[in-house]
Amino acid sequence: MKHLAAYLLLGLGGNTSPSASDVKDVLASVGIDADEDRLDKLISELKGKDLQELISQGSSKLASVPSGGGGGGAASSAPAAGGGGAAAEEEKPAEKEEEKEESDEDMGFGLFD
């Protein structure tokens, strides 16, 4: 991934055909050593291909992948007898209290302040 990210950064910077040494220079600028085998494979796979076209093809492929997580299952099973409904109602206020404890207001600052 680091090699691909460096390659894409070079492409965004205007270098339409980055070389292996270009990618190495980008990685070295942030203190990362390049893996020669992976870098050579990446360069050979992307040589002569348009990055924008590859990204649009990849986006269309990702659009067909189901990504709506199935959820974690039901929060609780249906009550077997009439007494289970009261227990479920008691749990709801406790959840709201926990959410208040985790809010940014308690820390004195917000994420975007």
Side-chain angles (χ1 to χ4, degrees):
M1 280 310 260
K2 59 187 174 188
H3 300 96
L4 179 59
Y7 190 93
L8 291 173
L9 282 172
L10 288 164
L12 285 173
N15 187 346
T16 57
S17 182
S19 66
S21 65
D22 293 335
V23 174
K24 285 181 192 177
D25 290 342
V26 169
L27 292 175
S29 71
V30 292
I32 298 174
D33 295 327
D35 181 0
E36 294 289 331
D37 295 333
R38 289 184 179 187
L39 181 56
D40 291 339
K41 183 176 180 178
L42 175 73
I43 297 296
S44 67
E45 292 284 330
L46 296 178
K47 188 172 185 171
K49 296 183 180 176
D50 181 34
L51 289 177
Q52 295 301 324
E53 184 179 321
L54 290 174
I55 290 171
S56 65
Q57 289 174 355
S59 294
S60 65
K61 288 179 182 178
L62 283 176
S64 65
V65 174
S67 61
S76 62
S77 61
E89 290 178 13
E90 291 175 14
E91 290 178 17
K92 289 181 183 179
E95 290 178 32
K96 290 181 183 177
E97 290 175 15
E98 290 176 358
E99 289 178 23
K100 289 180 184 177
E101 291 175 11
E102 295 177 359
S103 72
D104 289 339
E105 294 173 5
D106 293 339
M107 291 184 224
F109 64 91
L111 181 61
F112 299 106
D113 290 345

